[in-house]
Amino acid sequence: MGDGVIDFNELKNKVRDKDIEKFENYIFSLYDSLSRGEISMAELSKNIMKYMEDNNISQEKFLKIQQEMLKRYGLDSEYMETQLKTLGLDATNFDLDKNYEAIRKTQSFKEKYKNSIEDKIHSQYKIVNEVNNIVIDLQEENVVISSEGKVDLNDVEINEFLCSYKKLMEDKTLKVKLYQNVTEYSY
């Protein structure tokens, strides 16, 4: 016998191809029923919870199965986490009931303001040096530079960054907005 310790939780949460295929078939049948109006979103969630219970699938294993399914379809799980956050979901601490309530609230909010709200994904870069302490938000060719103080546009680091980003955007004209002396407060 070896001195190795068997971690039964690790074995229990290990995802196998048959787990993914079985869940994939099940979820597709649920989405088919949903698309035909045979079940509601709430029933879909309850059916998934029942599937997890019937198949003794932990939250951790369930998340791993989902990530593996995404990989099969060429989707990046980090990108999906970002998308889930725009819906008000926390993919790292998955609680179906809590997330369902978050989806419901988010959808209600978006429905109320549907003509004025647009979900966007952006990147953020920070420059903290002896000249500036700024945040640069990037969303396609839109650039927002903000600072709690004054922004010195002669800063070499800002210009190098903007030149690199412009090349990345295939030399499209960048629309730069500058916000200086920004005040932040809790509401």
Side-chain angles (χ1 to χ4, degrees):
M1 290 185 97
D3 337 354
V5 177
I6 297 173
D7 185 350
F8 288 105
N9 278 333
E10 186 177 320
L11 288 174
K12 179 182 164 192
N13 290 325
K14 183 172 171 67
V15 175
R16 294 167 186 80
D17 283 339
K18 70 177 186 166
D19 296 325
I20 299 167
E21 289 166 14
K22 184 177 177 184
F23 180 71
E24 184 177 39
N25 290 333
Y26 182 72
I27 201 74
F28 283 144
S29 71
L30 282 180
Y31 280 124
D32 184 50
S33 297
L34 181 68
S35 69
R36 286 189 268 127
E38 296 171 355
I39 62 171
S40 67
M41 278 299 287
E43 291 169 317
L44 178 113
S45 296
K46 287 177 186 173
N47 286 337
I48 291 173
M49 292 300 288
K50 183 162 179 18
Y51 177 88
M52 289 172 62
E53 186 179 310
D54 291 348
N55 292 281
N56 197 25
I57 297 174
S58 67
Q59 294 283 346
E60 183 180 338
K61 184 172 182 174
F62 182 66
L63 190 57
K64 288 179 183 177
I65 290 171
Q66 290 177 319
Q67 288 172 337
E68 290 301 316
M69 275 183 61
L70 292 173
K71 284 181 188 174
R72 283 186 175 190
Y73 292 99
L75 298 173
D76 178 13
S77 62
E78 286 182 28
Y79 173 77
M80 294 304 290
E81 282 183 30
T82 303
Q83 291 298 308
L84 289 172
K85 285 179 185 175
T86 65
L87 291 172
L89 301 177
D90 180 6
T92 58
N93 187 16
F94 194 80
D95 176 341
L96 200 54
D97 291 330
K98 180 180 170 190
N99 282 333
Y100 175 74
E101 184 63 21
I103 290 172
R104 190 190 64 70
K105 285 180 181 177
T106 302
Q107 291 304 92
S108 176
F109 176 79
K110 287 183 178 182
E111 183 64 30
K112 182 176 181 180
Y113 298 103
K114 65 183 169 194
N115 295 331
S116 302
I117 290 186
E118 182 181 348
D119 290 326
K120 294 184 177 185
I121 296 176
H122 74 277
S123 300
Q124 192 172 77
Y125 181 71
K126 295 180 182 180
I127 295 177
V128 178
N129 59 27
E130 54 282 340
V131 181
N132 283 306
N133 184 353
I134 62 173
V135 175
I136 302 175
D137 289 301
L138 309 165
Q139 200 266 321
E140 296 177 12
E141 57 272 349
N142 297 307
V143 177
V144 176
I145 301 173
S146 58
S147 174
E148 291 179 4
K150 187 154 175 54
V151 177
D152 184 348
L153 293 174
N154 293 318
D155 186 348
V156 174
E157 195 171 347
I158 291 175
N159 289 300
E160 283 179 10
F161 178 78
L162 290 175
C163 285
S164 296
Y165 187 65
K166 185 171 178 137
K167 287 177 187 172
L168 178 67
M169 293 284 95
E170 299 174 350
D171 283 327
K172 291 180 186 172
T173 300
L174 299 178
K175 298 173 190 165
V176 180
K177 292 181 182 177
L178 181 63
Y179 297 96
Q180 301 184 100
N181 301 314
V182 174
T183 303
E184 183 178 306
Y185 66 96
S186 298
Y187 180 76

